[in-house]
Amino acid sequence: MRKAWFVLLLCLLAVMPALAQDTTETPLDVSDADLEPWTCPEGFEGQTLSVFNWSTYVAEDTISNFEELCGVTVIYDVYESNEAMLARLRQGNPGYDILVPTDYVVEIMIQEELIQPIDLSKIPNFRHVAENLIDTPYDPGNQYSVPYQWGTLGIGYNQTVVGYELKSWKDLFEYEGPVAWLEDPRAMIDIGLMMLGEQPPATDPEMVFAARDALLENGGNVVAIAQDDGQALLERGDVHATIEYSGDIFQIMDSCECDDFVYVIPEEGANLWTDNLVIASGAPNPELAHVFIDYILDPRVSADIANYTAYGSPNQTAIDLGYIDEELLNNPAIYPSEEISERLYFSAILPPEVDQAYADAWDEVKILLRR
Amino acid sequence: MAFNRSFGTAAYTIRQKKSGGLLALPAVLWLVLFFLLPLAIVFFVSFMSRGPRGTIVFPLTLEHYNRIFDIFFPVIVDSVRIALVTTVICLLVGYPLAFFISTRKSRRAQQIALFLVILPFWTNFLVRTYAWRVLLGGDGPVNNLLLSLGLIETPLTLLNTEFAVLVGLVYGFLPFMVLPIYASIERFDFRLVEAAYDLGANDWHAFWRVVFPLTLPGVVAGCILVLIPSIGAFVTPDLLGGTEGLMIGNLIQTQFRGTGNWPLGSALSVVMMAMVSLGLIVYMRFGGQN
């Protein structure tokens, strides 16, 4: 019996290298030379694709190039918030093929059957997607979504006013000037957990309430809890630092033409968000939608988008082959060091009683912070 | 003739009653469908439990009401206090203003003044509240003016305070105080003041004993119109109040957004409604009779 096991093990060991070779064939082996420009499959001429994306979220020629390459017409609508997009879709799909929801919204849309499964075999360029952004907790196995762009939830601050570097959540909490937090129970309680040296999310209500107390202890400098507009408070000088999404801080860095504003991914770790390409339920043209997703995941197309919007690109090949602008690639606020990357985490699905504890604890934080 | 006439009147009254009932039907239906029914739903949901992902599920529970009295009560008390202060300031500012407008001799001057009171409504409330954010900001016009006048040396913290909430609420609700008071002063017969003077009253007495009591219905209407929406305000405290100016409306609002807690939000709404109704009932039973 023992001998049989041993033989089996030997066989396995013999086969292993072959298996390993098979799987490593993907991203890193692609070289610039054998990366052909993207071509459209035959047979879509004259068809129409309807895309509903965030505003200012593609490069200037991303859509027109696709129209030209495939000979199709793209109807391109934009939205400003997940909630606005969800509200439109919940009333019945008005005819959209492609949507770009944020991670937790993908999960909601799967549960509410607002999106349909994706056939990854029709998307050869999926192999370019970075490993840490596939098979995520909100869509295990990428059955419904592929990542489009990503970013983090960190600290935006005015370095001229603050006068020194804020590197961590601890630095933010110990800063003596006015700061803003974010109206988001999940994000905030998770930050409390990181202050305690725990890895988010909490696994039981006790952990949540400990995080609540950590926030309360450190909330002396909080003057406002912003509804995702902390960047406006920061820009006008009403707070010196704020907890915000990377993209929102990049916006004011761009518009102010000054060196005042800085975005930093805190050392303790941060929430990693993704926006994702999905196909709506009842999409008029799911076949062309698959083609479009494959087009977007082409390393050159992906890089164009990331270079234009300055968000993180999920396209590992585009990064490896140097298609992403050097300046962006060297910005640790967009592409953090490996050490910090390891401390980024997705918002995972919570068991109901923990989810409830997050909501309750956050109400209590707000009530007790009043004075 | 007399007989005919009274007969005719009686018949008319009966007909009027019938057709009156029919005429009221749309309004009654409207109230039942869009007021009483939703209210009943809110009341019912407030006893339900919060399920996974913010769904509303059985079993029935009193948990939310317990939680309100354990945790949320200080915020409710503060909200009522802020609303009362708002109402008093609106009254102190609004009454003289209404008095001034309604005693203009020229009808045209009155119309222009009223127009000016209503004018802010032409701009969206949200936009006007955002404007206060700029005005009261650390680098805003108010602080810059005070700084350049040398009245202060460092910018005052005006935004994200309870003060800012009061400013925003008074600003937003002042017209609701002015208009009903204006209506009742406008109807006031000023010969009564002359009569009071003839009977030996001085200005003060003529106002307190004659003018004010007769314009009280307008004052009460104005106070109710300001007090009730102020208690539940959420846009103003959200944009201007920061952590310090948190009101119960904010906490109710967040229960309904995202993965909120609808049963708890409903229970909070029920408690608020109960408190406001109770206040009105007490007022009508005792205060209203004088």
Side-chain angles (χ1 to χ4, degrees):
Chain A
M1 241 355 235
R2 240 168 129 187
K3 209 168 182 179
W5 277 112
F6 186 67
V7 171
L8 196 69
L9 195 71
L10 267 182
C11 288
L12 261 175
L13 278 174
V15 174
M16 279 273 271
L19 283 173
Q21 222 159 33
D22 236 43
T23 49
T24 50
E25 198 202 22
T26 38
L28 299 172
D29 283 4
V30 183
S31 76
D32 193 29
D34 50 52
L35 194 67
E36 303 273 326
W38 188 82
T39 49
C40 191
E42 297 287 310
F44 289 101
E45 290 80 6
Q47 296 190 9
T48 304
L49 182 77
S50 185
V51 178
F52 199 24
N53 194 357
W54 296 80
S55 59
T56 63
Y57 217 32
V58 284
E60 271 155 342
D61 56 1
T62 306
I63 299 299
S64 56
N65 284 349
F66 179 72
E67 287 181 313
E68 220 167 279
L69 287 167
C70 286
V72 298
T73 311
V74 174
I75 301 167
Y76 191 77
D77 285 349
V78 296
Y79 55 87
E80 302 286 343
S81 75
N82 281 304
E83 285 67 28
M85 182 269 291
L86 261 181
R88 287 280 286 279
L89 268 289
R90 276 175 175 153
Q91 289 160 14
N93 182 1
Y96 291 118
D97 295 297
I98 295 278
L99 311 164
V100 193
T102 303
D103 41 42
Y104 70 99
V105 182
V106 171
E107 200 186 323
I108 293 172
M109 296 185 94
I110 294 172
Q111 296 205 346
E112 297 186 13
E113 296 178 356
L114 296 173
I115 53 181
Q116 53 174 291
I118 288 179
D119 185 352
L120 287 179
S121 70
K122 292 177 184 164
I123 305 175
N125 279 329
F126 182 70
R127 67 199 163 108
H128 299 301
V129 176
E131 227 165 275
N132 64 324
L133 295 175
I134 59 175
D135 198 19
T136 55
Y138 56 85
D139 180 19
N142 290 81
Q143 292 185 47
Y144 291 86
S145 69
V146 303
Y148 179 67
Q149 301 214 74
W150 66 276
T152 48
L153 175 68
I155 302 168
Y157 68 99
N158 185 325
Q159 60 179 354
T160 318
V161 179
V162 172
Y164 60 93
E165 252 185 289
L166 299 181
K167 289 182 186 159
S168 59
W169 297 116
K170 188 162 174 286
D171 287 348
L172 177 75
F173 290 141
E174 285 172 357
Y175 176 63
E176 301 212 332
V179 308
W181 283 359
L182 185 70
E183 173 59 57
D184 183 334
R186 287 296 300 273
M188 292 306 304
I189 295 293
D190 282 349
I191 291 169
L193 284 172
M194 287 187 275
M195 282 301 286
L196 296 172
E198 305 271 5
Q199 173 73 17
T203 48
D204 59 68
E206 278 70 51
M207 260 175 98
V208 175
F209 294 118
R212 169 199 64 193
D213 296 340
L215 286 176
L216 281 170
E217 258 168 56
N218 291 293
N221 56 1
V222 185
V223 297
I225 293 171
Q227 309 256 20
D228 201 8
D229 62 349
Q231 75 274 18
L233 289 170
L234 177 65
E235 195 175 25
R236 275 200 311 274
D238 292 314
V239 299
H240 300 166
T242 181
I243 298 176
E244 251 308 345
Y245 290 101
S246 46
D248 289 329
I249 302 299
F250 296 152
Q251 250 173 35
I252 63 166
M253 285 159 77
D254 273 356
S255 64
C256 109
E257 292 178 5
C258 60
D259 294 329
D260 290 347
F261 302 115
V262 182
Y263 176 79
V264 61
I265 303 174
E267 282 169 357
E268 294 95 337
N271 174 226
L272 188 164
W273 58 261
T274 59
D275 285 331
N276 302 271
L277 296 163
V278 301
I279 302 177
S281 294
N285 201 341
E287 285 304 313
L288 187 56
H290 280 89
V291 175
F292 180 77
I293 293 175
D294 187 58
Y295 164 76
I296 293 290
L297 290 182
D298 175 77
R300 290 193 183 91
V301 177
S302 274
D304 278 350
I305 296 171
N307 288 336
Y308 182 81
T309 61
Y311 285 99
S313 173
N315 201 303
Q316 193 61 48
T317 309
I319 294 170
D320 292 343
L321 296 184
Y323 294 163
I324 308 280
D325 289 347
E326 193 103 331
E327 195 191 336
L328 297 173
L329 210 50
N330 291 333
N331 183 346
I334 305 175
Y335 300 96
S337 68
E338 209 161 304
E339 195 194 345
I340 293 208
S341 295
E342 276 168 19
R343 299 200 199 113
L344 299 180
Y345 63 93
F346 286 108
S347 297
I349 308 162
L350 295 173
E353 74 278 7
V354 179
D355 185 40
Q356 178 70 57
Y358 268 80
D360 287 350
W362 179 239
D363 279 336
E364 289 163 22
V365 167
K366 285 190 291 181
I367 291 168
L368 294 170
L369 266 186
R370 280 180 308 149
R371 284 294 133 85
Chain B
M1 196 55 188
F3 172 78
N4 266 351
R5 201 173 146 192
S6 69
F7 178 75
T9 313
Y12 174 71
T13 317
I14 290 166
R15 216 171 49 231
Q16 193 185 31
K17 269 186 185 158
K18 270 190 175 167
S19 63
L22 272 178
L23 282 174
L25 196 64
V28 170
L29 267 179
W30 179 273
L31 280 177
V32 169
L33 268 181
F34 297 115
F35 179 69
L36 286 181
L37 193 65
L39 201 64
I41 295 173
V42 168
F43 188 72
F44 180 71
V45 167
S46 75
F47 295 101
M48 296 286 278
S49 305
R50 176 187 191 263
R53 312 196 51 75
T55 48
I56 302 164
V57 294
F58 282 105
L60 296 175
T61 171
L62 280 173
E63 167 202 357
H64 311 301
Y65 287 96
N66 279 333
R67 201 170 147 69
I68 289 170
F69 291 107
D70 286 349
I71 310 270
F72 289 80
F73 208 68
V75 187
I76 295 178
V77 172
D78 266 2
S79 303
V80 172
R81 179 178 54 77
I82 291 174
L84 281 173
V85 175
T86 303
T87 310
V88 170
I89 298 175
C90 279
L91 182 60
L92 291 178
V93 177
Y95 196 96
L97 180 61
F99 198 89
F100 173 82
I101 296 173
S102 55
T103 50
R104 291 310 90 197
K105 291 250 158 45
S106 123
R107 192 79 200 157
R108 186 148 184 80
Q110 281 196 24
Q111 280 167 352
I112 292 175
L114 277 183
F115 174 74
L116 289 177
V117 169
I118 301 169
L119 191 66
F121 287 130
W122 291 21
T123 311
N124 182 295
F125 183 67
L126 204 59
V127 174
R128 289 184 282 139
T129 309
Y130 265 107
W132 275 112
R133 242 166 101 144
V134 178
L135 289 173
L136 296 176
D139 193 28
V142 174
N143 264 315
N144 284 336
L145 180 73
L146 293 175
L147 283 169
S148 63
L149 289 176
L151 291 173
I152 51 171
E153 276 169 16
T154 49
L156 297 173
T157 306
L158 301 173
L159 191 64
N160 296 324
T161 60
E162 195 179 299
F163 169 78
V165 176
L166 281 173
V167 169
L169 287 177
V170 168
Y171 164 79
F173 292 124
L174 190 59
F176 296 103
M177 184 64 89
V178 172
L179 295 177
I181 297 180
Y182 164 81
S184 63
I185 298 179
E186 209 242 342
R187 277 199 304 267
F188 178 74
D189 185 349
F190 275 89
R191 285 175 305 179
L192 291 172
V193 178
E194 287 165 32
Y197 284 144
D198 287 347
L199 293 170
N202 59 21
D203 286 352
W204 179 247
H205 278 119
F207 178 75
W208 270 118
R209 311 277 291 267
V210 180
V211 181
F212 191 73
L214 286 170
T215 53
L216 201 57
V219 171
V220 171
C223 286
I224 291 174
L225 284 179
V226 172
L227 183 70
I228 292 176
S230 300
I231 295 179
F234 71 89
V235 172
T236 313
D238 190 37
L239 293 180
L240 304 176
T243 42
E244 181 187 311
L246 182 81
M247 286 176 75
I248 195 67
N250 302 114
L251 292 173
I252 294 179
Q253 191 236 120
T254 50
Q255 303 309 324
F256 288 93
R257 285 174 79 240
T259 54
N261 190 340
W262 285 33
L264 176 61
S266 302
L268 279 165
S269 306
V270 169
V271 170
M272 298 277 308
M273 275 187 283
M275 285 180 52
V276 171
S277 319
L278 201 72
L280 285 181
I281 290 167
V282 167
Y283 168 78
M284 284 195 267
R285 287 299 289 277
F286 304 103
Q289 282 168 353
N290 301 335

